[in-house]
Amino acid sequence: MNTDFYKKIIENNKVWSETKLAKDAEYFKKLAEGQQPPLLWIGCSDSRVPANEIIGAQPGEVFVHRNIANMVVHSDMNMLSVLDYAVNVLKVKHVIVCGHYGCGGVKGAMGNQSIGIIDNWIRHIKDVYRHHRTYLDSIVDEDKRFDAFVEINVKEQVFDLAKTSIVQSAWKGGQELYLHGWVYGLGDGIVKDLEVNFNDNNDLDKVDRLHF
């Protein structure tokens, strides 16, 4: 077994720790006392999209949930547990759903090739395509259609986030909570604000507004 990479990351951790301590001897002691991040990041599992790094955030500033294609699935207890803790315990003020151009999960949902167990997860993304099929099928250029689908998927996940009982209960209680949708460009490192922003449920259909 080749252990060079494994040994390297262990050594990298030691160097990183020593570098932080050299700048601030109390750095880890202060981190260990607790967290009060202002932001929950719901992003893709893609290794090229590190949440903290692309927005210049430090440890303790971003609470993170990641899955294939940054999905907000109402039956996903992992995502719901993260969301509930972030909103009701950590009291984050912002939740960002961040997708990225070139997303493999979104690309997979545009075709019919079986990949494995992920096929079942991708079904949720295919549902998004089905709802927007007329528009997406009208885009002749495949690359442009792919980019448009990435953006639409993010927007739909922000809407689904706004529909959760967790978010709506927070708004009902007067909690300051903003939802945003972004797409990250792998080619230039720039995020695009899709301007799908919520801070209450007034923009939701009446059928989606919960009464507590």
Side-chain angles (χ1 to χ4, degrees):
M1 181 177 70
N2 189 330
T3 60
D4 290 346
F5 175 74
Y6 184 74
K7 290 178 179 178
K8 179 177 175 57
I9 61 176
I10 292 291
E11 184 59 32
N12 286 348
N13 170 254
K14 293 178 181 177
V15 173
W16 175 76
S17 175
E18 290 168 357
T19 301
K20 291 295 185 182
L21 290 173
K23 294 180 179 178
D24 181 359
E26 300 292 309
Y27 182 80
F28 292 107
K29 181 180 179 181
K30 287 183 285 190
L31 273 183
E33 290 174 353
Q35 59 172 330
Q36 289 184 312
L39 166 66
L40 167 61
W41 176 283
I42 299 177
C44 183
S45 298
D46 194 298
S47 62
R48 299 167 294 178
V49 192
N52 284 59
E53 190 170 347
I54 67 176
I55 58 173
Q58 298 300 313
E61 293 182 336
V62 184
F63 202 58
V64 178
H65 174 77
R66 297 171 72 171
N67 61 48
I68 300 297
N70 41 270
M71 300 297 288
V72 175
V73 177
H74 289 147
S75 58
D76 180 0
M77 290 304 296
N78 186 355
M79 183 279 298
L80 291 173
S81 297
V82 171
L83 178 63
D84 182 67
Y85 190 80
V87 172
N88 292 319
V89 178
L90 298 177
K91 304 294 184 183
V92 299
K93 287 184 169 53
H94 298 272
V95 183
I96 294 174
V97 178
C98 185
H100 66 95
Y101 296 115
C103 179
V106 173
K107 184 69 171 179
M110 295 177 72
N112 300 105
Q113 180 65 41
S114 176
I115 304 171
I117 195 171
I118 192 178
D119 295 342
N120 301 284
W121 184 257
I122 284 176
R123 284 292 169 191
H124 296 295
I125 315 173
K126 285 181 176 289
D127 286 341
V128 174
Y129 196 103
R130 177 168 53 85
H131 291 309
H132 298 272
R133 179 177 300 278
T134 301
Y135 167 66
L136 289 170
D137 285 352
S138 72
I139 304 174
V140 178
D141 184 279
E142 187 173 347
D143 290 335
K144 291 181 179 178
R145 187 188 319 131
F146 185 13
D147 287 348
F149 189 19
V150 166
E151 294 181 0
I152 286 172
N153 185 56
V154 169
K155 291 178 181 179
E156 288 293 335
Q157 303 320 305
V158 177
F159 271 95
D160 283 343
L161 189 62
K163 295 173 187 176
T164 63
S165 60
I166 296 167
V167 168
Q168 293 203 36
S169 178
W171 284 336
K172 180 67 174 179
Q175 189 169 332
E176 185 180 5
L177 183 63
Y178 302 89
L179 312 182
H180 316 275
W182 288 5
V183 176
Y184 175 73
L186 294 176
D188 58 14
I190 301 297
V191 295
K192 177 181 180 181
D193 186 346
L194 297 178
E195 298 183 357
V196 51
N197 303 291
F198 291 95
N199 63 353
D200 56 47
N201 66 2
N202 291 333
D203 290 329
L204 295 177
D205 291 336
K206 289 184 178 180
V207 72
D208 293 317
R209 301 176 192 173
L210 299 177
H211 297 282
F212 296 88

